[in-house]
């Protein structure tokens, strides 16, 4: 029996011609550097070419193209340099932005990091800090004044208009300011304005006058103190102004803003203070005056006591006095006095409290006086107004004792009528 017949090959599609050895030629053209593949390619019978196995042909098709290794290394180095350059640019931009936000004139200097011999007291502070520490005009506020001099009556008229940008007198950031005007050397009385509650820009709108001869103008200065009113403790100074009248042209009316400076050192008070409580009942017309205590009196005074006097229409009306206290410069009285004052006359009444004591000559002399009523000024006027505004409620407050002659001059009491003695 002969060999079995070969299986019939699949017919070629229409329009194509099967060329023997075409696929092996295509595969042979694919670059493959493997020795095994070259050996298989040349191992055909009779010098012919043999088809590669399917796995070897696929490996050659998908093999990476050949290339030198130094190219890959160079590419990696270039990419790394670019990344580092970008990072350095970003860091430089951020550093410049921080320097722009902090100006040179406001940079903080760390003295601890300096390793030289420079000490802290050699570093000069900023100019703004020096102005703030030296108590400039903006720190103490301003005061609007008007000055006019009448050569006929030889009086200087001082108009207190308003103040602005005053310091705060309490923790709430507000103040209860009032102004005190006087001349130095003293000439006449001291004028105090009304107390303005809860403001740092008060509008005073008050005028006072002082008798001053023209020859005294060059060596006289106007003294203005702005104070914060406190009911129990003494007033707190908010600023002061000293204006020499010799440098001011008083031929015309001047109205100017003046900067306030730091208050001067308080002079020792020789007259002292007096604490008084007032209560008024409009229905019954009862005015109750309670003399509580005094303080700051001269230690050389003996047996101080207080006289309480009512003045009606510039004439002495009623009076009372406390019992004396011995051996103390801060006597405690706590004595009450009641006066019947109709409501129709309450605005015409002046209340005068005078502290008396025995001096070195063993004679009772007035130490100082306090004037309360509608004709008073400053804290005494505010105390009287609070008494009328809060009827039936006692209101206590400290008052500074003023010289007796100054209060008598402000009262302008009319002398009593003296009957002629028989035979005169």
């Amino acid at each position: 029996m002969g060999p079995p017949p070969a299986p019939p090959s699949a017919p070629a599609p229409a329009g194509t011609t099967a060329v023997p050895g075409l696929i092996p030629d295509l595969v042979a053209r694919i670059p493959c550097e493997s020795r095994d593949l070259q050996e298989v390619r040349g191992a055909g019978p009779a010098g012919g070419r043999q088809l590669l196995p399917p796995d070897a042909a696929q490996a050659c098709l998908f093999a990476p193209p050949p290339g030198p290794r130094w190219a890959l290394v160079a590419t990696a180095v270039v990419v790394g340099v670019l990344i580092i350059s970008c990072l350095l640019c970003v860091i430089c931009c951020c550093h410049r932005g921080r320097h722009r936000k902090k100006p040179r004139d406001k940079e903080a200097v760390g003295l601890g990091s300096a390793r030289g011999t420079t000490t802290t007291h050699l570093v000069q502070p900023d100019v703004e800090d020096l102005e703030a520490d030296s108590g400039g005009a903006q720190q103490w506020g301003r005061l609007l004044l008007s000055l006019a001099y009448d050569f006929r009556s030889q009086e200087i008229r001082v108009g207190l208009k308003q103040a602005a940008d005053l310091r705060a007198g309490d923790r709430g950031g507000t103040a209860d300011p009032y102004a005190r005007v006087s001349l130095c050397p003293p000439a006449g009385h001291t004028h105090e304005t009304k107390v303005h509650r809860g403001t740092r820009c008060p509008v005073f709108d008050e005028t006072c006058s002082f008798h001053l001869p023209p020859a005294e103008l060059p060596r006289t200065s106007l003294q203005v103190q702005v104070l914060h009113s406190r009911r129990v403790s003494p007033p707190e100074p908010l600023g002061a102004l000293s204006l020499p009248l010799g440098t001011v042209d008083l031929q015309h009316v001047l109205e100017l803003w003046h900067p306030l400076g730091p208050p001067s050192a308080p002079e020792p008070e020789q007259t002292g203070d007096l604490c008084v409580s007032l209560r008024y009942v409009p229905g019954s017309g009862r005015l109750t005056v309670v003399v509580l205590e005094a303080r700051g009196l001269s230690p050389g005074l003996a047996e101080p006591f207080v006289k309480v006097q009512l003045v009606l229409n510039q004439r002495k009306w009623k009076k009372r006095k406390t019992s004396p206290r011995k051996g103390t410069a801060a006597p405690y009285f706590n004595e009450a006095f009641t006066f019947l004052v109709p409501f129709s006359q309450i605005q015409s009444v002046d209340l005068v409290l005078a502290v008396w004591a025995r001096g070195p000559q063993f004679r009772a002399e007035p130490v100082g006086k306090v004037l309360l009523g509608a004709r008073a000024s400053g804290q005494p006027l505010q105390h009287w107004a609070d008494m009328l505004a809060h009827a039936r409620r006692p209101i206590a407050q400290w008052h500074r004792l003023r010289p007796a002659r100054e209060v008598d001059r402000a009262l302008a009491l009319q002398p009593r009528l003296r009957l002629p003695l028989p035979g005169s």
Side-chain angles (χ1 to χ4, degrees):
M1 292 179 62
S9 58
T16 61
T17 304
V19 180
L22 178 60
I23 294 178
D25 292 338
L26 293 175
V27 173
R29 292 178 184 179
I30 299 175
C32 186
E33 301 297 334
S34 176
R35 294 180 179 179
D36 298 337
L37 294 177
Q38 290 179 359
E39 292 175 359
V40 172
R41 211 186 314 173
R49 295 183 179 182
Q50 185 179 1
L51 290 175
L52 291 172
D55 297 339
Q58 187 176 6
C60 288
L61 285 174
F62 294 98
R69 293 183 178 179
W70 61 268
L72 297 176
V73 175
T75 304
V77 171
V78 171
V79 172
V81 171
L82 291 176
I83 293 175
I84 294 175
S85 301
C86 293
L87 292 176
L88 291 177
C89 292
V90 172
I91 293 173
C92 292
C93 293
C94 295
H95 191 63
R96 291 177 181 177
R98 292 179 181 177
H99 277 283
R100 290 177 181 176
K101 292 180 181 179
K102 295 181 179 181
R104 293 183 179 179
D105 55 347
K106 294 186 179 180
E107 289 181 357
V109 180
L111 298 178
S113 62
R115 296 183 180 180
T117 59
T118 305
T119 56
T120 56
H121 69 274
L122 296 179
V123 179
Q124 298 292 335
D126 294 337
V127 178
E128 298 177 357
D129 298 337
L130 288 176
E131 293 179 356
D133 295 338
S134 61
Q138 296 182 357
Q139 185 179 2
W140 299 98
R142 300 173 298 158
L143 184 64
L144 181 60
L145 289 178
S146 66
L147 295 176
Y149 187 77
D150 190 354
F151 289 91
R152 294 182 179 178
S153 60
Q154 297 183 357
E155 289 184 349
I156 182 171
R157 298 176 182 176
V158 182
L160 295 168
K161 301 300 181 179
Q162 59 180 335
D165 304 329
L166 296 178
R167 273 190 162 190
D170 51 15
R171 297 180 180 179
T174 60
D176 300 335
Y178 70 98
R180 182 184 297 167
V181 187
S182 62
L183 296 181
C184 184
H189 63 282
T190 300
H191 177 77
E192 291 185 356
T193 65
K194 180 182 177 181
V195 179
H196 297 263
R197 301 289 183 185
T199 178
R200 295 171 59 184
C201 299
V203 179
F204 301 112
D205 198 15
E206 296 187 20
T207 304
C208 59
S209 59
F210 301 92
H211 179 76
L212 188 65
E216 301 292 335
L217 286 174
R219 53 178 178 267
T220 304
S221 61
L222 178 68
Q223 304 289 332
V224 182
Q225 291 182 338
V226 181
L227 306 171
H228 168 62
S229 174
R230 293 184 291 189
R231 294 185 182 275
V232 180
S233 56
E236 177 185 357
L238 300 178
L241 170 64
S242 180
L243 183 62
L245 299 179
T247 61
V248 180
D249 185 12
L250 298 177
Q251 299 291 338
H252 308 282
V253 179
L254 301 178
E255 185 171 338
L256 298 173
W257 282 95
H258 299 275
L260 293 175
S264 57
E267 299 180 358
E269 293 285 349
Q270 298 295 334
T271 54
D273 301 322
L274 182 65
C275 186
V276 184
S277 175
L278 300 179
R279 179 174 178 265
Y280 183 68
V281 181
S284 60
R286 291 179 176 270
L287 174 62
T288 304
V289 181
V290 182
V291 181
L292 295 174
E293 59 179 321
R295 65 184 179 188
L297 302 180
S298 178
L301 301 178
E303 299 183 359
F305 62 95
V306 179
K307 285 185 178 181
V308 182
Q309 188 174 24
L310 285 181
V311 178
L312 178 62
N313 297 327
Q314 299 182 350
R315 293 183 183 273
K316 296 180 180 180
W317 186 23
K318 301 177 182 179
K319 62 180 180 180
R320 302 284 191 276
K321 68 176 182 179
T322 65
S323 57
R325 299 292 187 268
K326 298 181 180 180
T328 176
Y332 181 76
F333 301 101
N334 195 19
E335 298 186 22
F337 306 95
T338 302
F339 302 93
L340 295 178
V341 182
F343 184 74
S344 59
Q345 297 179 344
I346 192 62
Q347 294 296 343
S348 303
V349 169
D350 296 315
L351 177 62
V352 182
L353 296 102
V355 178
W356 288 67
R358 296 185 182 275
Q361 300 179 358
F362 301 98
R363 185 180 61 180
E365 298 177 353
V367 177
K369 293 184 178 182
V370 176
L371 174 61
L372 299 169
R375 292 194 298 167
S377 61
Q379 285 185 318
L381 177 61
Q382 186 65 39
H383 192 186
W384 189 263
D386 293 342
M387 177 199 70
L388 297 179
H390 304 84
R392 302 178 181 86
R393 182 190 303 178
I395 299 177
Q397 189 171 348
W398 283 92
H399 296 282
R400 185 175 61 94
L401 293 176
R402 298 167 59 184
R405 294 181 180 180
E406 181 178 333
V407 175
D408 294 340
R409 190 182 301 110
L411 285 173
L413 296 179
Q414 296 181 3
R416 294 182 178 179
L417 295 178
R418 296 182 179 181
L419 299 177
L421 296 178
S424 61

